[in-house]
Amino acid sequence: MSKAFIAATRFGLGARPGDLEKIGDKPEKWLLDQLAGPSRAFDEIGRLPHSSSVFVEVQRVRRERRDAKKAGDDIVKNYGKLVRRHYIDQSNVRYRAAAASDTPFHERLVHFWSNHFAVSADKQPIPAIAGLYENEAIRPNVCGNFADLLIAVEQHPAMILYLDNQRSIGPLSKLGKRANQRRSDQEFGLNENLAREILELHTLGVDGGYAQTDVTTFAKIITGWSIGGASDRGRFADGVPGKFEFREAIHEPGSQEVLGRTYGQSGVDQGEAVLRDLAMHPATARFISTKLARHFVADEPAESVVDVLQASYLKSGGDLTAVYTALVHAAEPWHNNFAKYKTPHDFVLSTLRAFDHTPESPRFIVGALDLMGQTPFRPGSPAGWPDTAEQWGGADALYKRIEWANTVARVVGSRINPVELGDTILGNAFNPESRKAVSRAESVQQGMTLLLASPDFQRR
């Protein structure tokens, strides 16, 4: 395989016609140029509303829905339609942007971090703001410092709502003490969800050396991290509706100890100080480096490449562009093999890019990914979607891919010669046996289906 193909497929989102020639014999430069300068967002992304305005809209309709349940009003249906419309619009723009992107490495990194810091649209009202969370918290920070990315994510309303931190009340806070005076059986109100997932999934990893006491103490530190317009019970409160709000009245006061270090800061600074220290912990560097290597190199990446990434992470103080640069310059990602099996997400995007096609129908992409089991923004848990072939292989999964490939070949690819397309987007990675099978197909549609279902196209 040429390095141009590897750059386009393993680092990028799949080659479009002409991409391999454009990359040429300077694939490293092509990749690193995508990391320079400000984030170049798709125009349609910039036209989406801000999550705070959507939050206000959804909250209003939710209140009307609660009232409507008693009155039997149609507003109950209107809430579902509103949330669904925002979800479809954001999902459609996300995949249209990726299909048309001239900076697919940058776009893949956005998707990687969105999955690392996963929220799930299975929980209301996340479907209405999941795509906006990606655009507001992740996209602007994807080439910056990991600590800044971490803080932006943990303070975004989508993450706070998803893990219920707006409901977390410090036992010794003003509100907590009043409540606990009336409840002698147990302490009232502390929620450990966000603290636990930050330690286990976002920074140190499950084997990162923290204890349950660290989870509990950290949960106390981030009490008060809430949302304007939403109290601990979901009612409207002070602050700018739909934006991060620190609520002193429910924040646990005093110094706290996490991982052997004492944090005496007051207010929101206390939690931010913990996050910055977690960002520079060696266990975090190892965990992040391993996930990047697994995504870009192999399901079981060599320790050598993880070591290189970890060293770059720590030396640069968590500078993500430095880590990506070390990845691009490492030997392992350029090994001449199909090391990774495409997720449905990768398969759909690489197909659209192969046809140089951005579908107009807002339900086309969502329907395809739903069919193949990777519905946008619905990983089902804070752990995000799996990144190994074990999850996405199997006869039934392959059948669904072939079924969708056949539909796409009929709708989009009927006027394209499949052999010529294979030569264009795969280059010398187009196996001679695969090429022979495609050339002998009984129809253009069948040939296109064989191309899309071939191991050459299914792996990266």
Side-chain angles (χ1 to χ4, degrees):
M1 295 186 293
S2 69
K3 293 184 73 173
F5 171 80
I6 293 174
T9 308
R10 194 170 297 164
F11 287 92
L13 298 168
R16 296 175 302 179
D19 275 356
L20 299 186
E21 290 77 9
K22 183 187 303 182
I23 298 167
D25 60 355
K26 297 181 179 179
E28 292 92 345
K29 182 179 185 303
W30 181 76
L31 293 170
L32 296 178
D33 282 350
Q34 297 177 42
L35 308 179
S39 174
R40 289 153 284 188
F42 193 54
D43 287 344
E44 290 183 34
I45 290 177
R47 290 195 287 269
L48 289 170
H50 194 274
S51 59
S52 58
S53 64
V54 174
F55 174 84
V56 171
E57 183 184 18
V58 168
Q59 287 291 86
R60 175 182 58 78
V61 178
R62 286 185 94 175
R63 292 198 310 275
E64 293 174 355
R65 185 182 68 167
R66 285 196 296 270
D67 296 339
K69 284 183 178 179
K70 299 177 182 178
D73 202 323
D74 286 343
I75 198 68
V76 176
K77 295 181 180 178
N78 291 344
Y79 174 79
K81 290 180 180 178
L82 171 67
V83 171
R84 182 68 175 169
R85 174 173 60 81
H86 281 296
Y87 170 76
I88 292 292
D89 286 349
Q90 292 163 33
S91 299
N92 187 47
V93 168
R94 182 200 206 205
Y95 284 91
R96 283 173 52 82
S101 179
D102 291 324
T103 56
F105 180 35
H106 185 280
E107 205 67 20
R108 177 176 283 282
L109 289 167
V110 171
H111 296 175
F112 169 84
W113 288 114
S114 185
N115 190 56
H116 177 78
F117 294 111
V119 299
S120 181
D122 292 316
K123 180 176 182 177
Q124 295 293 342
I126 305 301
I129 58 175
L132 304 177
Y133 155 74
E134 178 179 275
N135 296 332
E136 294 163 8
I138 293 171
R139 185 174 292 278
N141 296 292
V142 75
C143 289
N145 190 280
F146 179 73
D148 295 331
L149 172 61
L150 181 65
I151 291 172
V153 163
E154 311 306 350
Q155 291 183 348
H156 194 278
M159 185 64 73
I160 289 172
L161 284 168
Y162 180 48
L163 295 174
D164 296 315
N165 206 69
Q166 81 281 9
R167 299 179 183 273
S168 187
I169 301 172
L172 298 180
S173 66
K174 293 178 182 179
L175 191 152
K177 285 193 292 187
R178 289 201 301 267
N180 284 320
Q181 287 173 356
R182 300 190 298 269
R183 294 168 58 96
S184 59
D185 56 331
Q186 59 182 358
E187 289 188 334
F188 175 75
L190 188 67
N191 187 305
E192 297 182 352
N193 289 351
L194 181 58
R196 185 179 307 280
E197 304 308 357
I198 290 173
L199 295 172
E200 179 178 327
L201 298 176
H202 299 171
T203 58
L204 304 176
V206 67
D207 299 319
Y210 65 90
Q212 174 57 38
T213 54
D214 296 310
V215 175
T216 301
T217 305
F218 187 26
K220 291 178 180 179
I221 288 173
I222 57 175
T223 50
W225 288 36
S226 187
I227 306 165
S231 75
D232 59 293
R233 295 301 179 191
R235 298 184 294 271
F236 271 69
D238 295 336
V240 178
K243 291 192 176 182
F244 176 76
E245 177 77 8
F246 178 74
R247 302 183 63 214
E248 187 72 43
I250 61 174
H251 177 65
E252 183 78 356
S255 297
Q256 307 289 344
E257 184 178 303
V258 178
L259 296 172
R261 180 170 294 186
T262 300
Y263 296 88
Q265 295 90 338
S266 60
V268 71
D269 292 344
Q270 191 177 42
E272 290 185 358
V274 176
L275 290 179
R276 292 198 179 278
D277 283 346
L278 287 173
M280 284 312 301
H281 196 286
T284 298
R286 191 70 181 179
F287 184 58
I288 296 302
S289 298
T290 301
K291 288 196 73 171
L292 281 166
R294 182 179 299 121
H295 186 77
F296 285 96
V297 180
D299 290 358
E300 298 293 336
E303 290 293 314
S304 57
V305 69
V306 177
D307 291 343
V308 167
L309 300 184
Q310 182 182 15
S312 177
Y313 184 103
L314 294 172
K315 182 179 180 181
S316 67
D319 182 86
L320 293 176
T321 297
V323 178
Y324 308 148
T325 301
L327 176 69
V328 170
H329 287 314
E332 290 84 355
W334 301 99
H335 286 172
N336 196 15
N337 56 30
F338 287 109
K340 294 290 294 183
Y341 185 65
K342 290 181 181 177
T343 64
H345 168 99
D346 283 332
F347 174 53
V348 168
L349 276 176
S350 57
T351 300
L352 295 176
R353 290 179 66 83
F355 290 133
D356 202 10
H357 176 68
T358 51
E360 295 296 331
S361 171
R363 298 180 186 273
F364 179 83
I365 296 170
V366 175
L369 290 168
D370 192 43
L371 170 71
M372 288 180 265
Q374 198 175 14
T375 309
F377 303 118
R378 291 186 184 272
S381 85
W385 294 107
D387 197 15
T388 60
E390 182 181 5
Q391 170 68 25
W392 304 112
D396 182 63
L398 181 58
Y399 174 78
K400 289 177 179 177
R401 293 188 184 211
I402 294 173
E403 184 180 25
W404 182 74
N406 190 50
T407 300
V408 173
R410 183 178 67 251
V411 174
V412 180
S414 59
R415 296 180 299 276
I416 305 172
N417 184 296
V419 175
E420 293 178 1
L421 182 64
D423 290 336
T424 299
I425 61 172
L426 299 177
N428 62 2
F430 198 8
N431 185 283
E433 292 301 316
S434 299
R435 194 177 191 279
K436 183 186 300 183
V438 171
S439 69
R440 291 178 176 178
E442 295 180 358
S443 65
V444 170
Q445 180 181 334
Q446 185 186 71
M448 195 64 72
T449 301
L450 288 172
L451 172 64
L452 298 179
S454 68
D456 316 12
F457 192 83
Q458 289 288 329
R459 303 190 71 89
R460 65 179 182 90

